Amino acid sequence: GAGVSQSPSNKVTEKGKDVELRCDPISGHTALYWYRQSLGQGLEFLIYFQGNSAPDKSGLPSDRFSAERTGGSVSTLTIQRTQQEDSAVYLCASSLYLEQYFGPGTRLTVT
Amino acid sequence: SQQGEEDPQALSIQEGENATMNCSYKTSINNLQWYRQNSGRGLVHLILIRSNEREKHSGRLRVTLDTSKKSSSLLITASRAADTASYFCATNLEKTSYDKVIFGPGTSLSVIP
């Protein structure tokens, strides 16, 4: 079956612009996660959705970052007024139990 | 500081040798997972060990967990060039959401043919 997909694969944007990153999780997976990975670094937790529960937003670095998950499936991560330090690979993962399945990521470059 | 930290940060070995990576964490966990990330590709789940387990095997992988020392190790036996990747431990904290995990910074493994 299809894995986790993310779009776009690459995004170059100018500083100050808003961007939207999309994640399509594996069908039936109740949990969805967003992470950020800077070059050569580990994964920084951003936000976590589990079913109909309120999302865990404790990892969002600023109020410029927001995410939603519509209908318990597709999720969109929005970064407003992008800054150069937002440049990173944004990874999405979904899971049914504990094992997370990752998408290929969106590489965001803010110029 | 990180909840989970891998050690060493980087490791270089010859093909056929064994590779050992360690993960130390600070607070009690429900379970611990290891993931692999090949260059330019996504993360892949390798193995999960629960807090009441001490050792698990999967093919050439062996994971141990010592909750008294708050540490885990990942052993890759008879390494291959294709094992070259970054390896991350991910801990699920005892008093948090059951599914939420914290990733460590990773160990970069190079297997030289």
Side-chain angles (χ1 to χ4, degrees), chain A residues 37-77:
Chain A
Q37 186 176 32
S38 300
L39 187 63
Q41 302 297 311
L43 276 72
E44 176 188 4
F45 166 79
L46 297 178
I47 188 168
Y48 159 63
F49 298 90
Q50 174 57 272
N52 295 320
S53 302
D56 179 342
K57 304 179 181 180
S58 60
L60 295 178
S62 77
D63 58 8
R64 297 186 295 105
F65 289 72
S66 63
E68 62 177 22
R69 188 179 185 192
T70 54
S73 181
V74 172
S75 177
T76 301
L77 176 69

Side-chain angles (χ1 to χ4, degrees), chain A residues 33 35 48 56 97-100, chain B residues 3-4 23 25 27-35 48-51 65 89-104:
Chain A
Y33 314 75
Y35 299 92
Y48 159 63
D56 179 342
Y97 296 113
L98 294 170
E99 176 182 341
Q100 295 186 29
Chain B
Q3 154 66 358
C23 172
Y25 55 92
T27 59
S28 296
I29 60 172
N30 292 318
N31 57 75
L32 184 147
Q33 302 177 56
W34 285 91
Y35 287 80
L48 179 149
I49 188 164
R50 299 181 188 275
S51 60
L65 179 65
C89 69
T91 51
N92 173 239
L93 304 186
E94 194 173 53
K95 290 181 172 54
T96 62
S97 166
Y98 190 62
D99 286 0
K100 180 180 173 181
V101 299
I102 305 294
F103 281 81

Side-chain angles (χ1 to χ4, degrees), chain A residues 98-99, chain B residues 30-34 45-66 72-77:
Chain A
L98 294 170
E99 176 182 341
Chain B
N30 292 318
N31 57 75
L32 184 147
Q33 302 177 56
W34 285 91
H45 179 267
L46 295 176
I47 200 165
L48 179 149
I49 188 164
R50 299 181 188 275
S51 60
N52 61 353
E53 297 175 311
R54 292 296 168 259
E55 185 170 314
K56 286 191 80 169
H57 296 255
S58 177
R60 293 183 297 111
L61 307 180
R62 181 171 78 98
V63 169
T64 62
L65 179 65
D66 187 336
S72 173
S73 67
L74 170 66
L75 169 67
I76 304 173
T77 60

Side-chain angles (χ1 to χ4, degrees), chain B residues 2 4 14 16 29 43 53 58 67 72 78 80 86 89-90 93 109:
Chain B
Q2 300 276 355
Q14 295 288 328
I29 60 172
L43 279 87
E53 297 175 311
S58 177
T67 53
S72 173
R80 305 167 182 169
S86 291
C89 69
L93 304 186
L109 173 65

Side-chain angles (χ1 to χ4, degrees), chain A residues 8 11-21 63-66 76-83 86 108-110:
Chain A
K11 177 72 176 179
V12 180
T13 190
E14 293 180 353
K15 177 181 173 182
K17 302 277 189 179
D18 298 352
V19 294
E20 283 190 354
L21 312 179
D63 58 8
R64 297 186 295 105
F65 289 72
S66 63
T76 301
L77 176 69
T78 301
I79 308 173
Q80 296 178 310
R81 305 180 302 281
T82 52
Q83 303 294 313
D86 299 334
L108 175 66
T109 303
V110 182

